[in-house]
């Protein structure tokens, strides 16, 4: 900041000069009027520059406080290298240029960072916008980055500390919708990527970030009541978190007793709901030989349940799903199954997403209607008609199974939002 300067200018009788007095230094000069104007301009520029630099410093400090990992480097010419990780408030499904409905949908809530090099001119933020030196996304998952730059530059208005607004716009993913990179179809939020091979890359990035965050967070295990880092805990599919050593002890003893139903979440509500642990969870907690015994018991139980064991209808899952009796009185619940592996709740008869006990299974309704029609028609006795009706029956069954497949496809869309 400049020191204050007190000058007094007096208009002289010759009508061309000013007498300029520096009050503190007790000096005086006679100068032309036009020179005085130039001096004032220079002084004003210096004052503005100082103000800009101080505003830049403030903004830099705010950014560092709010986004500690954001600023990677700064240079003497005030070029900042920013790495903005995109963290979305809702999960988005990643879709590539090819349509592959049978594949397991990739759902992410974080995206690889936007890498932004930006230079702050002397006149920023009062009279100039920051300059975008380079802009790229890691793994180049956005092809047209120039569009982002143009959007950024349009955001600045004179006097505005726009860097903070830029970072927020990028980091919360608002830019995806503003640039038509994300859209919402039938309630499912989607992000389009230009190349199919980017889908697994984005999935891995999201998974790593989630893992890193979980490992860094602290949890209090409900069993031993000890606070510990996520790295030593496990989040079960019901989203309860316990420390691994407690789960290990708890599960090991139940596996030794052959009590499979208790190898699950120890939370009382989950015990009541028969929330069993899945294969991955058990494998990740207990020792290998204990896991092998669990697997043996599990397969044996599925075999013993025989006919009541069905397979998960989700194409990429196909896990055997045992029948677990519920306390519900409505007999329709007998058809209800929940896949232990992927969590899909479905009807074991029509294999569609669970339609609830209040609605009679649509496949059963359809089949009954056809049978009724066959019985009621007096012509049903004639062999020709019976052959025709059988064809019709076959046709209706094909149609029903088509509907089931459509239901499965819509389930995959629904899963994309969860
Ligand atoms: Zn514990
Ligand atoms: Zn639980
Ligand atoms: Zn499944
Ligand atoms: Zn059904």
């Amino acid at each position: 900041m400049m020191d204050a300067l007190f000058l007094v200018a007096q208009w002289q009788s010759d009508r061309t000069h000013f007498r300029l007095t520096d009050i503190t230094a007790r000096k005086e000069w006679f100068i032309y009027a036009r020179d005085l104007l130039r001096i004032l301009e220079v002084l004003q520029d210096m004052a503005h520059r100082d103000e800009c630099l101080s505003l830049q410093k403030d903004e830099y400090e705010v950014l560092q406080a709010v986004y500690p990992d954001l600023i990677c480097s700064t240079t003497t010419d005030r070029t900042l290298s920013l790495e903005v990780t995109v963290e979305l408030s809702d999960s988005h499904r990643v879709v590539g240029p090819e349509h592959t409905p049978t594949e397991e949908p990739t759902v992410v809530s974080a995206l690889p960072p936007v890498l932004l090099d930006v230079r702050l001119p002397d006149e920023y933020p009062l009279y100039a916008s920051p300059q975008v030196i380079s802009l790229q996304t890691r793994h180049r998952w956005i092809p047209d980055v120039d569009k982002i730059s143009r959007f950024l530059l349009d955001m600045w208005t004179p006097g505005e500390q726009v860097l903070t607004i830029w970072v927020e716009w990028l980091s919360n993913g608002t830019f995806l919708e503003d640039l038509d990179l994300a859209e919402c179809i039938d309630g499912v939020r989607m992000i389009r990527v230009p190349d199919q091979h980017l889908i697994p890359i984005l999935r891995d990035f999201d998974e790593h970030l989630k893992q890193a965050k979980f490992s860094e967070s602290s949890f209090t295990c409900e069993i031993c009541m000890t606070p510990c880092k996520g790295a030593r805990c496990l989040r079960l599919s019901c989203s309860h978190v316990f420390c691994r050593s407690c789960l290990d002890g708890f599960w090991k003893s139940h596996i030794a007793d052959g009590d499979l139903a208790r190898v699950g979440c120890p939370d009382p509500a989950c015990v009541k709901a028969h929330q069993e642990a899945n294969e991955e969870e058990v494998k990740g907690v207990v020792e290998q030989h204990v896991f092998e015994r669990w697997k043996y018991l599990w397969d044996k139980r599925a075999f013993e349940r025989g006919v009541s064991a069905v397979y998960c209808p989700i194409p990429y899952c196909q896990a055997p799903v045992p029948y677990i009796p519920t306390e519900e009185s409505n007999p329709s619940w007998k058809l209800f199954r929940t896949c232990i592996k992927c969590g899909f709740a479905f009807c074991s008869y029509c294999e569609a997403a669970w339609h609830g006990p209040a609605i009679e299974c649509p496949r059963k309704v359809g089949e009954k209607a056809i049978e009724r029609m066959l019985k009621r028609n007096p012509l049903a006795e004639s062999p020709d008609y019976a052959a025709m009706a059988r064809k019709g029956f076959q046709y209706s069954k094909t149609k029903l199974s088509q509907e089931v497949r459509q239901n499965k496809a819509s389930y995959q869309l629904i899963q994309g939002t969860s």
Side-chain angles (χ1 to χ4, degrees), residues 7 12 44 70 89 111 250 260 262 364 385:
L7 297 171
Q12 297 301 293
Q44 202 179 25
L70 172 75
S89 52
L111 292 157
F250 186 73
L260 273 190
R262 296 299 309 276
K364 280 196 169 177
Y385 182 82

Side-chain angles (χ1 to χ4, degrees), residues 84 86 114 116 148 152 165-173 175:
V84 191
V86 185
V114 177
L116 175 64
I148 305 182
L152 290 175
I165 299 171
W166 284 7
V167 171
E168 201 185 305
W169 182 68
L170 292 169
S171 68
N172 65 20
F175 77 103

Side-chain angles (χ1 to χ4, degrees), residues 221 223-224 243 246:
C221 169
I223 300 175
C224 60
C243 79
C246 281

Side-chain angles (χ1 to χ4, degrees), residues 374 377-393:
L374 281 174
N377 198 311
L379 289 175
E381 296 302 312
S382 111
D384 280 355
Y385 182 82
M388 240 166 67
R390 263 199 304 278
K391 257 193 191 164
F393 184 70

Side-chain angles (χ1 to χ4, degrees), residues 136-313:
Q136 197 44 266
T137 46
R138 192 185 293 164
H139 306 303
R140 298 182 189 263
W141 60 276
I142 298 180
D144 185 11
V145 284
D146 292 345
K147 220 167 143 189
I148 305 182
S149 300
R150 285 198 296 276
F151 235 89
L152 290 175
L153 294 176
D154 279 349
M155 280 183 196
W156 177 79
T157 51
E160 186 156 44
Q161 286 162 298
V162 80
L163 274 192
T164 328
I165 299 171
W166 284 7
V167 171
E168 201 185 305
W169 182 68
L170 292 169
S171 68
N172 65 20
T174 312
F175 77 103
L176 293 169
E177 260 151 57
D178 289 346
L179 299 176
D180 295 328
L181 291 164
E183 57 189 328
C184 192
I185 298 173
D186 296 335
V188 181
R189 295 189 177 278
M190 300 202 188
I191 294 172
R192 299 207 172 274
V193 289
D195 197 317
Q196 213 72 13
H197 87 271
L198 284 165
I199 298 178
I201 293 176
L202 262 53
R203 178 172 54 221
D204 287 353
F205 176 84
D206 181 67
E207 192 52 46
H208 274 117
L209 199 76
K210 276 201 189 103
Q211 260 314 324
K213 278 196 171 167
F214 179 76
S215 300
E216 277 309 300
S217 315
S218 284
F219 298 92
T220 301
C221 169
E222 298 270 336
I223 300 175
C224 60
M225 289 302 177
T226 317
C228 55
K229 279 260 183 275
R232 296 182 51 211
C233 297
L234 180 70
R235 188 195 294 278
L236 299 172
S237 54
C238 57
S239 77
H240 286 117
V241 179
F242 299 94
C243 79
R244 282 171 186 274
S245 64
C246 281
L247 280 178
D248 183 29
F250 186 73
W251 288 353
K252 202 160 64 183
S253 72
H254 288 306
I255 293 171
D257 296 347
D259 188 0
L260 273 190
R262 296 299 309 276
V263 184
C265 176
D267 184 275
C270 289
V271 170
K272 210 172 158 218
H274 303 284
Q275 179 75 40
E276 287 188 19
N278 63 36
E279 189 170 329
E280 204 183 322
E281 290 166 347
V282 178
K283 200 172 183 170
V285 168
V286 299
E287 288 172 86
Q288 181 63 23
H289 70 274
V290 182
F291 168 72
E292 272 159 23
R293 176 164 161 75
W294 175 85
K295 184 86 180 113
Y296 162 77
L297 290 168
W298 204 92
D299 288 344
K300 188 165 152 266
R301 182 180 67 180
F303 180 77
E304 281 164 4
R305 281 176 176 169
V307 282
S308 63
V310 293
Y311 289 89
C312 174

